[in-house]
Amino acid sequence: MADSVTTFFKDIEGRGHEPLLEKARGTLRIDLTDGRKVAHWHVSFDRGDIAVSRRNAKSDCIFRTDRALFDQIVRGEANAVTAVLRGEAAAEGDLELLFLLQRVFPPQTTPRKAQHRVAGARARA
Amino acid sequence: MSDDLIKILDGNTFVVSDANGDIEASATDPTGLFSFDTRFLSRWVLTIDGQRLNALSVDDLNYFEARFFLVPGTGTVYVDANLSVIRRRSVGAGFHEEVQVLNHQDEPVDLTIRFDADSDFADLFEVKDALEKKGTYLKETKGGKLVIGYTRESYGRATVISATTRAKVDVDGLSFKARIGPHEKWTTEIEVAATPLGGAAAAFRSTIPRGNGGRRPREMAKDLERWLANAPRLESEWEGLRATYRRSLVDLAALRFSPLTAGKRSLPAAGLPWFMTMFGRDSILTCLQALPFAPELAATTLVELGLRQGSRVDDFRDEDPGRILHEMRFGEMTAFEERPHSPYYGCADATPLYVVLLDEYERWTGDRKLVRDFEPEARAALAWIDDYADLMDDGYVWYQRRNEETGLENQCWKDSWDSISYRDGRLPGFPRATCELQGYAYDAKMRGARLARAVWKDEPFAERLEREAADLKRRFNRDYWVEDGEYFALALDSEGGQVDALTSNNGHLLWSGIVEKTKAKSVVRHLMGPRLFSGWGIRTLAEGEGRYNPIGYHVGTIWPFDNSFVAWGLRRYGFKEEAARVAAGILEAAEFFDGRLPEAFGGYERKVTKYPVQYPTACSPQAWSTGAPLLFLRTMLGLEPLGDHLVVDPALPVGIGRLELLDIPGRWGRLDAFGRGLVEVGERRRPGVPN
């Protein structure tokens, strides 16, 4: 069965250069609890290039939550900021990296630019 | 809220109490200890032998600490002062309170000193709207400490109260038995800590930087000293202006707030008590006002708002890619997504204003690195204007909330329900395209073009933006111009019709530069005419319009911040004397408020009331009111960066005498500006200077 967490990390690594993340340098560690197990993922940002690793490394920011919630976050069904405020997730260190990673989380609702324009819109004169 | 409340703050932790230092909050009033949008203490009452105390005086000279001088009893005529009590309170990660009881008699006394404590853990939104709680409370005594807590699922917050001297702690408070010798004193220190509950929450807390509680008063006093020393020095014969200037600098220091990603850097929060958080619009406009005085605020604001720029389409948060946030909150209702403020993006002006601030910041400071670093954000903001704000596909900026339950209806600065009306008082439907949004969009494109050329080295992009700006200006001057009134309509409605009330928004249009030169004179005639100008300032809505009300929030009151941008606009079009008149009116009004301009005051004619009437529930201090005197100083002195130079072209109201602003920071290092009051501003009292 496809594992959406693994898919997510594969996806962001496969993105290549991401202009929206060019300011970021550092490593974000994501700790995911699943029962008694804790899986560590390291996401390194280097001026728009992203690398993902399971190996231990020094990190600038740690985000901890359980795997099920993270799954929802990466699917766009849950929000990382409110999860931290509720105490279902924790974040420490340089939160800038977490904010920037959020930019590449999938959208919470499908983009539908045409739809939120008003019906019957006039053309510009 | 009434004015005798004592407010102290640091970051977004603040304490609001009565003049005795006591807190007895009802469900709907904003007294208590608040931190991160949550009330951590709603009851905090000091008694001696069961008796309440009576305030002799309060000293709250520093924004982060207060001293209360008290005596027992609520004496009506005569107070028997055998004892006196001094409470000294400072904000920390919660607050710290030192209590001294002094025995003035020749005999020893035995006293029971007690603090009653309780908390309702209300979200600030619940206080504002009087809503019910959904979680459970707990109260316990643990190791000589009182713990009052609240939990709802994984969410938890707690207030932990402890004392340095031995106390009898019960679940409703702390009691001390004291024997005080003749002419001796008894002292204790109490720590009230506002904390999250649970391990995960503790980790979150550990990331909260200094500047949001946890600093000692001495550290805060040093920081304030440094802040004041870094600001330009004002020399003026007008004593009231000097006082207003100092008040503005201190209040601006008090309103600084460090978002979680900012480290020690800070940006202006919007206002006490409701708005101690990051707002897109308020933070940007305040930074624009303060640029010649404290440019570092603008840098933090640009970084923090840029980091949180919208990246997806999210109807609940009214988020779009490229959109700059409206408001960020940290309370329970935000945590459970009962409110969309994590952050909420429903605001149509912050995005173009972000580009305006980025450009103005570079013009003053020459900090090209920040402009380069935030090029993607600036481009995304400019793209938002065309791609997401143009709801009617006609080249204008429109707004209509997608979150119909808890989103904002009016996404412009006049955001109350009845602020956008036709002359006859009718309200238009949605979407709406208010006029100042078009001005900001025009200015953003022009300034974006300058940055594209000067910093991003993208000539085709610069040319495209200039073409679009010119086209927008042409269409705007045709579609918004009210022919029979000779001013700009407040908005277009969804049918393309003019929402034709006469408003102060015309002044923001001057500031943006979207007004054709031939139309400026007529616009100024309205702004300075009796229907808009009261003698103190320019009303939000003109007298005679259907919804005009001199104490209506956005329909007749005078907003100092609004006037400061209008005056800047008057200067931009060369109306120096008119700008000086507006500045003189508001700065004279400031004297009636001890130098602290309120959010808004009544639109009554100056000749009738003689003094400015404060709007009843206004927030104070409020950031953009605090910034208004600063922008007026810039406008009156005609300060304008030109390359690496600072141009000074003063037009000061007569009676101000000689004005000097020394050590103005910028890309030139530090420079001084001088001026003398020569502009006749009408038949008024001439402030401060003997005639």
Side-chain angles (χ1 to χ4, degrees):
Chain A
M1 211 174 99
D3 175 339
S4 59
V5 169
T6 312
T7 311
F8 167 75
F9 284 116
K10 223 176 232 165
D11 268 5
I12 57 169
E13 186 162 36
R15 270 172 188 250
H17 190 77
E18 180 62 69
L20 275 174
L21 304 179
E22 274 175 7
K23 274 181 290 297
R25 289 185 85 176
T27 299
L28 167 66
R29 192 179 96 197
I30 297 171
D31 292 356
L32 301 177
T33 25
D34 188 359
R36 283 184 173 180
K37 286 182 300 186
V38 182
H40 304 291
W41 294 83
H42 293 81
V43 183
S44 298
F45 300 86
D46 187 10
R47 301 180 180 191
D49 297 324
I50 306 176
V52 177
S53 159
R54 301 291 311 273
R55 261 181 306 205
N56 270 337
K58 213 174 128 252
S59 59
D60 306 284
C61 176
I62 303 171
F63 183 69
R64 285 191 204 98
T65 190
D66 66 53
R67 193 187 177 87
L69 181 63
F70 191 73
D71 210 38
Q72 288 182 311
I73 291 172
V74 301
R75 284 202 308 263
E77 294 161 11
N79 179 285
V81 172
T82 58
V84 170
L85 292 177
R86 282 194 308 275
E88 287 182 40
E92 317 174 41
D94 180 3
L95 298 191
E96 190 174 327
L97 295 175
L98 187 61
F99 275 99
L100 288 173
L101 184 67
Q102 271 217 111
R103 288 187 175 176
V104 297
F105 282 176
Q108 292 213 328
T109 45
T110 333
R112 47 196 162 97
K113 188 177 141 189
Q115 197 178 327
H116 85 250
R117 290 200 181 187
V118 171
R122 301 179 313 277
R124 126 181 10 190
Chain B
M1 52 194 284
S2 86
D3 273 337
D4 50 10
L5 295 176
I6 307 304
K7 309 165 203 171
I8 54 171
L9 74 154
D10 181 34
N12 74 355
T13 301
F14 60 93
V15 189
V16 183
S17 72
D18 66 19
N20 292 336
D22 287 342
I23 295 163
E24 286 174 283
S26 71
T28 55
D29 75 25
T31 57
L33 160 64
F34 290 88
S35 188
F36 285 87
D37 305 320
T38 303
R39 177 151 61 200
F40 281 85
L41 262 190
S42 52
R43 184 172 174 78
W44 184 245
V45 174
L46 172 62
T47 53
I48 292 185
D49 288 343
Q51 262 195 318
R52 297 289 292 265
L53 302 169
N54 192 28
L56 294 180
S57 75
V58 183
D59 170 3
D60 60 345
L61 282 178
N62 280 326
Y63 62 79
F64 45 82
E65 61 182 342
R67 259 180 307 180
F68 305 84
F69 300 91
L70 311 163
V71 288
T74 47
T76 46
V77 182
Y78 175 73
V79 180
D80 182 17
N82 284 331
L83 291 173
S84 55
V85 179
I86 302 169
R87 297 171 87 166
R88 182 182 179 151
R89 178 181 298 158
S90 59
V91 180
F95 68 78
H96 179 88
E97 186 162 324
E98 184 195 84
V99 182
Q100 287 188 357
V101 182
L102 290 80
N103 178 13
H104 304 304
Q105 304 163 94
D106 295 326
E107 304 292 318
V109 283
D110 291 293
L111 302 171
T112 302
I113 299 155
R114 180 170 173 84
F115 276 100
D116 283 332
D118 202 0
S119 176
D120 62 2
F121 295 96
D123 184 314
L124 211 52
F125 284 124
E126 294 167 311
V127 179
K128 229 176 154 183
D129 302 333
L131 301 170
E132 294 281 320
K133 297 298 286 185
K134 292 181 176 157
T136 50
Y137 292 94
L138 68 96
K139 278 181 172 189
E140 58 182 1
T141 61
K142 216 156 81 182
K145 295 178 177 182
L146 169 57
V147 180
I148 310 170
Y150 172 82
T151 57
R152 173 176 166 194
E153 298 168 30
S154 51
Y155 175 92
R157 297 291 183 267
T159 307
V160 182
I161 305 170
S162 56
T164 51
T165 47
R166 199 182 154 74
K168 189 176 159 293
V169 182
D170 59 74
V171 293
D172 295 315
L174 291 76
S175 296
F176 304 88
K177 294 278 183 204
R179 183 179 181 87
I180 312 175
H183 306 290
E184 286 185 356
K185 67 179 178 190
W186 173 91
T187 304
T188 191
E189 290 182 42
I190 295 172
E191 201 67 52
V192 179
T195 65
L197 276 178
F204 172 70
R205 182 82 206 187
S206 74
T207 67
I208 294 171
R210 292 150 104 77
N212 282 311
R215 292 187 303 169
R216 287 289 162 207
R218 194 180 306 157
E219 226 179 300
M220 288 188 266
K222 262 207 187 124
D223 171 69
L224 177 60
E225 242 170 66
R226 250 195 320 271
W227 167 265
L228 291 172
N230 269 331
R233 207 166 73 243
L234 179 81
E235 302 286 349
S236 163
E237 289 159 310
W238 181 6
E239 198 193 325
L241 182 62
R242 292 201 309 270
T244 297
Y245 180 64
R246 191 184 159 83
R247 183 80 260 167
S248 286
L249 290 179
V250 172
D251 283 350
L252 204 54
L255 290 169
R256 283 172 304 164
F257 159 72
S258 298
L260 299 176
T261 42
K264 281 184 180 175
R265 291 167 295 146
S266 55
L267 56 84
L272 192 68
W274 302 118
F275 306 124
M276 283 313 295
T277 185
M278 181 169 26
F279 276 83
R281 176 188 307 129
D282 298 60
S283 297
I284 290 172
L285 291 175
T286 306
C287 288
L288 280 167
Q289 294 171 317
L291 254 180
F293 302 86
E296 67 278 15
L297 292 176
T300 313
T301 297
L302 289 163
V303 170
E304 295 305 316
L305 291 178
L307 280 178
R308 292 165 177 76
Q309 184 174 43
S311 59
R312 66 194 79 181
V313 173
D314 176 347
D315 292 345
F316 175 60
R317 294 176 178 82
D318 277 322
E319 178 179 356
D320 306 311
R323 199 169 194 178
I324 296 297
L325 68 86
H326 175 57
E327 182 179 356
M328 178 77 209
R329 292 290 187 178
F330 305 89
E332 181 185 345
M333 298 190 77
T334 302
F336 285 92
E337 305 192 6
E338 293 160 345
R339 287 287 184 280
H341 299 78
S342 45
Y344 178 61
Y345 289 87
C347 144
D349 50 13
T351 308
L353 288 172
Y354 182 83
V355 181
V356 171
L357 178 63
L358 187 66
D359 176 63
E360 192 69 10
Y361 170 74
E362 196 281 333
R363 290 181 68 230
W364 279 86
T365 62
D367 180 359
R368 297 203 159 184
K369 181 174 185 306
L370 192 136
V371 176
R372 268 194 298 271
D373 282 353
F374 283 80
E375 179 184 342
E377 283 78 4
R379 284 179 182 266
L382 287 161
W384 178 84
I385 293 172
D386 298 327
D387 294 345
Y388 291 92
D390 186 4
L391 297 177
M392 300 293 285
D393 233 350
D394 62 356
Y396 289 125
V397 174
W398 295 83
Y399 62 78
Q400 177 167 25
R401 62 181 177 176
R402 307 202 294 279
N403 174 348
E404 294 198 353
E405 214 175 307
T406 49
L408 274 177
E409 270 202 330
N410 277 321
Q411 304 190 348
C412 51
W413 85 261
K414 292 180 179 175
D415 58 1
S416 53
W417 68 277
D418 63 345
S419 61
I420 309 301
S421 66
Y422 299 91
R423 278 182 198 167
D424 61 12
R426 280 177 302 125
L427 302 177
F430 293 93
R432 295 171 177 175
T434 53
C435 63
E436 83 287 0
L437 297 175
Q438 320 314 321
Y440 302 159
Y442 168 81
D443 201 19
K445 285 176 188 284
M446 292 300 285
R447 290 169 180 269
R450 194 192 75 83
L451 294 175
R453 201 166 274 135
V455 187
W456 307 328
K457 308 294 179 202
D458 185 349
E459 181 61 30
F461 186 46
E463 284 172 18
R464 196 192 96 201
L465 287 170
E466 280 168 349
R467 257 194 328 272
E468 290 170 359
D471 178 56
L472 173 59
K473 184 169 181 170
R474 181 185 56 79
R475 288 182 289 110
F476 177 81
N477 278 270
R478 177 193 66 202
D479 297 343
Y480 280 74
W481 187 247
V482 178
E483 284 292 345
D484 67 348
E486 299 197 315
Y487 60 84
F488 289 97
L490 172 55
L492 291 187
D493 62 26
S494 58
E495 308 292 312
Q498 293 179 343
V499 181
D500 55 0
L502 172 61
T503 60
S504 63
N505 299 45
N506 277 271
H508 286 241
L509 295 173
L510 293 177
W511 171 52
S512 73
I514 200 173
V515 176
E516 284 171 356
K517 277 225 162 67
T518 52
K519 292 187 164 74
K521 208 168 177 181
S522 175
V523 165
V524 174
R525 188 166 41 81
H526 281 291
L527 289 168
M528 303 310 294
R531 291 183 62 207
L532 278 173
F533 190 65
S534 79
W536 293 116
I538 292 161
R539 301 179 177 100
T540 40
L541 178 66
E543 210 171 29
E545 300 299 55
R547 285 193 180 265
Y548 173 74
N549 170 359
I551 46 165
Y553 200 51
H554 294 120
V555 290
T557 53
I558 291 163
W559 288 58
F561 111 83
D562 188 25
N563 277 262
S564 69
F565 282 90
V566 175
W568 192 1
L570 289 165
R571 273 283 333 206
R572 178 166 183 165
Y573 278 79
F575 295 88
K576 295 182 192 177
E577 301 194 354
E578 288 78 1
R581 276 182 73 193
V582 175
I586 300 287
L587 291 171
E588 283 165 31
E591 289 193 86
F592 289 85
F593 302 110
D594 295 326
R596 177 181 282 169
L597 283 162
E599 179 180 33
F601 57 83
Y604 303 105
E605 200 186 336
R606 178 165 176 168
K607 278 193 210 116
V608 176
T609 57
K610 309 288 189 207
Y611 62 91
V613 178
Q614 187 167 352
Y615 181 81
T617 64
C619 238
S620 182
Q622 192 179 44
W624 62 18
S625 292
T626 297
L630 305 181
L631 180 51
F632 281 126
L633 284 170
R634 170 186 174 173
T635 302
M636 291 191 299
L637 287 166
L639 304 181
E640 206 58 63
L642 188 71
D644 282 336
H645 303 283
L646 177 65
V647 174
V648 182
D649 177 18
L652 299 163
V654 83
I656 207 169
R658 189 172 163 77
L659 186 76
E660 301 176 3
L661 194 63
L662 308 171
D663 288 335
I664 303 164
R667 57 199 306 161
W668 41 81
R670 296 257 177 183
L671 277 174
D672 304 336
F674 306 90
R676 176 170 287 284
L678 297 171
V679 178
E680 197 56 61
V681 290
E683 298 167 39
R684 323 240 159 87
R685 189 171 67 86
R686 295 183 173 187
V689 179
N691 289 327

